[in-house]
Amino acid sequence: MTKSRYDAIVIGGGVVGLGVALEISRRFPRLRLLLLEKEDRVGRHQSGHNSGVIHSGVYYKPGSLKARLCVTGAAAMVEFCREHGIAHEVCGKVIVAIHADELPRLDDLRKRGEANGLTGLRLIGPEELREIEPHASGLQALVVPSTGITDYAVVCEKYAELISASGGTIFTSAAAIGVRRLSNEIVVETSRGAFATTSLINCAGLFSDHIARMAGDDPGVMIVPFRGEYYDLTPERASLVRALIYPVPDPRFPFLGVHFTRRITGKVDAGPNAVLALAREGYRHRDINLRDLASSLAFPGFWRMARQHWRNGLDEWHRSLSKAAFVRALQRLLPEVRENDLVPGGSGVRAQALKPDGTLVDDFEFVPSGKVLHVLNVPSPAATASLTIGKAIVDTASETMGLG
Ligand SMILES: Cc1cc2nc3c(=O)[nH]c(=O)nc-3n(C[C@H](O)[C@H](O)[C@H](O)COP(=O)(O)OP(=O)(O)OC[C@H]3O[C@@H](n4cnc5c(N)ncnc54)[C@H](O)[C@@H]3O)c2cc1C
């Protein structure tokens, strides 16, 4: 039996689902809005297990959704944190080239950043790098002054508070387990009963492809879970890092390479790597979900990806299982760091969409289908860009689904 009726239901209480719900509550305050989250509180998965960086937008292809929504989103995130008293800092970062063959790519990043509208980017030599980060070493570095840090778990809590304050409903411990599309409404079955709605927005992160299928749509992609593992610098050695020190990323992968991040709490962590996880919510090596594994192995794109990237995948597993190998990767940026300086930190699992041809989807992807909209690829920098992603999704939902 249907419990209640809403104008819009959002599935997923991560930073993206909350960003969407916040935008709906601001733009259409009269709509009856419900957000469903399967965990007992919001922000429990990617949004609460990330690096906490407010990315500047330097990495992304000019004109892409990532580039546009990150640059505007970063400014909006800094303003949001300021307005709501959320701890944050625009500390800047350095991207460091170690080998000569990385120099052209570093300059390409500078050009990309400028094309995306960033200001203040500059290439510096080893001496100036040591003035900014006294323990880092490299041939050249790109200074990115607009990068910042915050805590996205706190941001999620604030989004939720604002949504509730403007009349939206958030149900936690409410897992969507079925979606029925009727002629005049959509019924979402959950572990807390059934709810009817006119419009449905799927922001289920690691399960967004499952929810799409539940709603009768072919998502066209499979979500692959990539675990990112961290070590923490011991408090005595945290002074090795002032702010953020990154390598030049490998353009073949959507990940940035292990780096050092000073958190807003002052703690410094190293990582994350990118290891294929054996469960969608596989935060530890021993987390294995046979259903997740079987669905990965049955997807043709998985084998195509494996054929293309097996060597890199094995290297990631090696660095994951061997602290010495992980530390060697970090020593490229910070030669003084030693195994004893690092203790195991947390981990997060990225939801990365994979196409049947084996390519990893690079840009953000939102796919409307009638009165349902699926958010199928919102990896980093989606936490940074969550306010502007919310706006972009609500624009799409208004145009294609008549939301509002
Ligand atoms: C290791 C790591 C480091 C990162 N670093 C950064 C960074 O520094 N800066 C940055 O901008 N981005 C970063 N990101 C990316 C960023 O965290 C994600 O892009 C963002 O959190 C995605 O938000 P989301 O709401 O889509 O996903 P999630 O936070 O995963 O939220 C999805 C929600 O849907 C819920 N859900 C799933 N299925 C159901 C269901 N059936 N019913 C109800 N609810 C359901 C889940 O419980 C979850 O809470 C990082 C990510 C990781 C993993």
Side-chain angles (χ1 to χ4, degrees):
M1 203 183 74
T2 298
K3 227 177 177 178
S4 320
R5 209 171 183 295
Y6 292 88
D7 299 306
I9 291 184
V10 176
I11 299 178
V15 74
V16 172
L18 290 161
V20 169
L22 180 61
E23 180 62 20
I24 294 175
S25 69
R26 284 173 167 174
R27 207 184 295 187
F28 307 118
R30 295 223 178 103
L31 290 192
R32 281 159 303 169
L33 168 68
L34 172 65
L35 183 141
L36 297 168
E37 168 52 52
K38 70 178 167 62
E39 304 295 347
D40 60 359
R41 57 191 163 87
V42 298
R44 291 275 281 140
H45 288 288
Q46 297 174 88
S47 305
H49 290 89
N50 56 41
S51 300
V53 175
I54 304 176
H55 285 295
S56 61
V58 71
Y59 296 108
Y60 317 113
K61 199 164 145 198
S64 63
L65 279 175
K66 272 189 181 175
R68 287 190 290 120
L69 299 179
C70 181
V71 175
T72 48
M77 183 56 66
V78 170
E79 177 53 27
F80 183 86
C81 291
R82 200 196 51 73
E83 186 185 340
H84 295 285
I86 296 173
H88 68 288
E89 190 189 332
V90 180
C91 52
K93 82 170 178 185
V94 286
I95 305 174
V96 181
I98 316 291
H99 295 298
D101 61 357
E102 292 173 335
L103 295 175
R105 280 194 270 138
L106 192 64
D107 196 38
D108 285 347
L109 279 183
R110 179 188 61 79
K111 289 182 193 142
R112 216 169 229 212
E114 284 170 359
N116 290 341
L118 301 195
T119 53
L121 296 175
R122 62 199 174 91
L123 289 168
I124 57 170
E127 285 92 59
E128 206 177 338
L129 171 60
R130 269 192 297 278
E131 281 168 27
I132 299 173
E133 287 289 351
H135 303 277
S137 120
L139 296 178
Q140 210 176 50
L142 179 65
V143 179
V144 187
S146 56
T147 305
I149 47 175
T150 187
D151 181 341
Y152 289 112
V154 178
V155 169
C156 283
E157 292 292 344
K158 182 52 77 174
Y159 285 179
E161 187 189 313
L162 295 173
I163 293 162
S164 303
S166 57
T169 304
I170 297 180
F171 282 155
T172 52
S173 305
I177 49 176
V179 176
R180 280 185 290 128
R181 290 163 93 150
L182 309 176
S183 56
N184 59 342
E185 64 180 15
I186 301 159
V187 178
V188 183
E189 316 274 358
T190 81
S191 48
R192 286 182 64 171
F195 304 96
T197 182
T198 318
S199 306
L200 177 66
I201 304 182
N202 160 19
C203 301
L206 286 151
F207 293 94
S208 54
D209 57 343
H210 280 198
I211 299 284
R213 248 176 262 115
M214 218 182 251
D217 290 319
D218 173 6
V221 293
M222 187 187 70
I223 300 298
V224 185
F226 282 99
R227 185 171 56 247
E229 298 157 334
Y230 297 87
Y231 280 95
D232 295 337
L233 276 182
T234 58
E236 306 78 54
R237 297 291 273 168
S239 59
L240 286 177
V241 175
R242 282 188 180 160
L244 310 174
I245 311 175
Y246 280 62
V248 178
D250 184 332
R252 291 170 301 160
F253 306 108
F255 312 118
L256 300 178
V258 287
H259 48 266
F260 291 93
T261 310
R262 182 169 284 277
R263 299 271 179 170
I264 198 66
T265 53
K267 198 181 88 176
V268 174
D269 58 38
N273 55 5
V275 185
L276 193 63
L278 303 180
R280 294 213 178 197
E281 292 172 354
Y283 291 93
R284 299 160 303 179
H285 284 123
R286 62 175 184 274
D287 293 335
I288 300 174
N289 181 309
L290 294 178
R291 246 184 65 192
D292 290 351
L293 259 183
S295 70
S296 292
L297 298 179
F299 186 70
F302 181 83
W303 294 103
R304 296 194 175 107
M305 175 188 72
R307 261 200 300 279
Q308 246 179 304
H309 298 303
W310 65 270
R311 190 181 295 274
N312 186 66
L314 285 183
D315 285 349
E316 288 286 2
W317 266 98
H318 177 55
R319 277 191 292 271
S320 167
L321 295 170
S322 155
K323 185 177 181 187
F326 198 105
V327 173
R328 272 197 299 279
L330 294 170
Q331 283 169 335
R332 285 162 38 90
L333 294 169
L334 208 66
E336 285 169 58
V337 76
R338 297 285 172 265
E339 273 190 58
N340 285 346
D341 300 334
L342 294 158
V343 290
S347 67
V349 185
R350 306 170 181 88
Q352 172 63 53
L354 172 70
K355 291 190 209 166
D357 68 4
T359 51
L360 298 170
V361 178
D362 187 44
D363 208 358
F364 295 149
E365 198 165 289
F366 323 135
V367 182
S369 155
K371 294 281 189 182
V372 183
L373 192 147
H374 304 292
V375 177
L376 290 172
N377 197 56
V378 276
S380 184
T384 302
S386 49
L387 290 164
T388 43
I389 289 177
K391 285 190 181 4
I393 289 174
V394 175
D395 286 346
T396 309
S398 306
E399 279 161 29
T400 63
M401 295 153 60
L403 182 74

